[in-house]
Amino acid sequence: MNNTQGFNTPELNGTFNNWCGNCAQMNDANSDGVWEITIQLFAGIYEYKYSYDNWGGAEQLEAGSSCTITNGQFTNRYLDVQEDMVLDVVCFEECSECIP
């Protein structure tokens, strides 16, 4: 959640949960500053983005970035799931890891 402030609960929203708001809350159980969540998905392509506080705020992603796809007026992250995977740590609203 680097690059954003003033949130209580980060969430993961996407086509896998019908953009439900606070259905997929993330946690930082080990207090390392990296918010995490584990979700089981079937193989396929998904769109998603990080948000917080039941859509109180959400990423505004740049169209054409390496991790995004744009459908109409919405630019989201995308993921092609083919097998078990762990996503790289990224900054809020960026496609890459945060640089301290």
Side-chain angles (χ1 to χ4, degrees):
M1 294 301 291
N2 289 347
N3 294 347
T4 192
Q5 300 175 6
F7 65 90
N8 291 308
T9 306
E11 299 137 356
L12 183 62
N13 285 291
T15 53
F16 58 89
N17 65 8
N18 203 30
W19 305 96
C20 73
N22 61 1
C23 294
Q25 296 180 350
M26 301 175 74
N27 68 70
D28 184 14
N30 61 1
S31 299
D32 65 352
V34 177
W35 292 85
E36 303 172 18
I37 190 168
T38 299
I39 297 177
Q40 293 185 352
L41 300 172
F42 293 107
I45 296 175
Y46 299 89
E47 292 184 38
Y48 69 100
K49 67 172 49 178
Y50 299 107
S51 62
Y52 54 86
D53 302 336
N54 198 18
W55 288 110
E59 294 184 294
Q60 300 299 312
L61 299 161
E62 185 176 332
S65 297
S66 61
C67 66
T68 66
I69 187 169
T70 300
N71 286 318
Q73 63 181 336
F74 300 104
T75 299
N76 301 308
R77 296 177 184 271
Y78 73 93
L79 180 64
D80 185 357
V81 175
Q82 297 302 316
E83 59 188 29
D84 288 352
M85 57 194 312
V86 174
L87 301 182
D88 294 334
V89 174
V90 295
C91 275
F92 193 79
E93 298 186 324
E94 294 185 17
C95 294
S96 59
E97 186 174 353
C98 296
I99 298 173

